[in-house]
């Protein structure tokens, strides 16, 4: 039952907003809606770019860490081969 009242309240608010926009803005309503949509898209675009920059930075950090671990493993294996050839390492 509360959903029906909430829906009626929302419909009333939207109808009053629509009447007020036509009443006071009249012929300029199209321009006002266009400006409102452009501002909303600009804000959304800014947020998405910020999120993408964060994701790219995270990916770069992971790649650097993986490269560092791989280099460390290669160096360990090279040192082990060198020690084995020199005969100083465990048999």
């Amino acid at each position: 039952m509360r959903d029906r009242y909430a829906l009626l309240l929302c419909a009333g608010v939207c109808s009053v907003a629509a009447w007020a926009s036509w009443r006071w803005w009249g012929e300029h309503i199209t321009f006002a809606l266009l400006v409102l949509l452009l501002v909303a898209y600009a804000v959304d675009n800014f947020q998405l770019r910020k999120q993408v920059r964060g994701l790219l930075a995270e990916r770069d950090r992971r790649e650097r860490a993986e490269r560092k671990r791989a280099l460390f493993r290669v160096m360990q294996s090279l040192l082990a081969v060198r020690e084995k050839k020199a005969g100083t390492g465990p048999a």
Side-chain angles (χ1 to χ4, degrees):
M1 194 66 169
R2 276 194 301 190
D3 289 341
R4 289 183 183 181
Y5 291 130
L7 186 61
L8 281 174
L9 178 66
C10 183
V13 168
C14 288
S15 64
V16 167
W19 171 82
S21 64
W22 280 112
R23 170 83 170 118
W24 285 301
W25 289 336
E27 60 204 37
H28 304 294
I29 188 68
T30 305
F31 179 72
L33 288 175
L34 179 65
V35 169
L36 181 67
L37 284 174
L38 285 175
V39 168
Y41 282 139
V43 168
D44 187 44
N45 190 19
F46 176 74
Q47 290 173 347
L48 286 174
R49 284 178 184 262
K50 185 177 174 183
Q51 185 178 9
V52 166
R53 278 193 299 268
L55 290 172
L56 289 175
E58 177 66 27
R59 185 187 70 180
D60 288 342
R61 278 193 298 273
R62 284 187 196 152
E63 286 177 356
R64 280 194 302 267
E66 182 60 34
R67 273 189 250 126
K68 190 175 182 179
R69 283 191 299 269
L71 183 60
F72 182 72
R73 286 191 301 265
V74 168
M75 288 299 295
Q76 280 183 331
S77 63
L78 288 174
L79 287 173
V81 167
R82 186 176 80 176
E83 287 176 2
K84 189 173 185 182
K85 276 188 172 183
T88 59

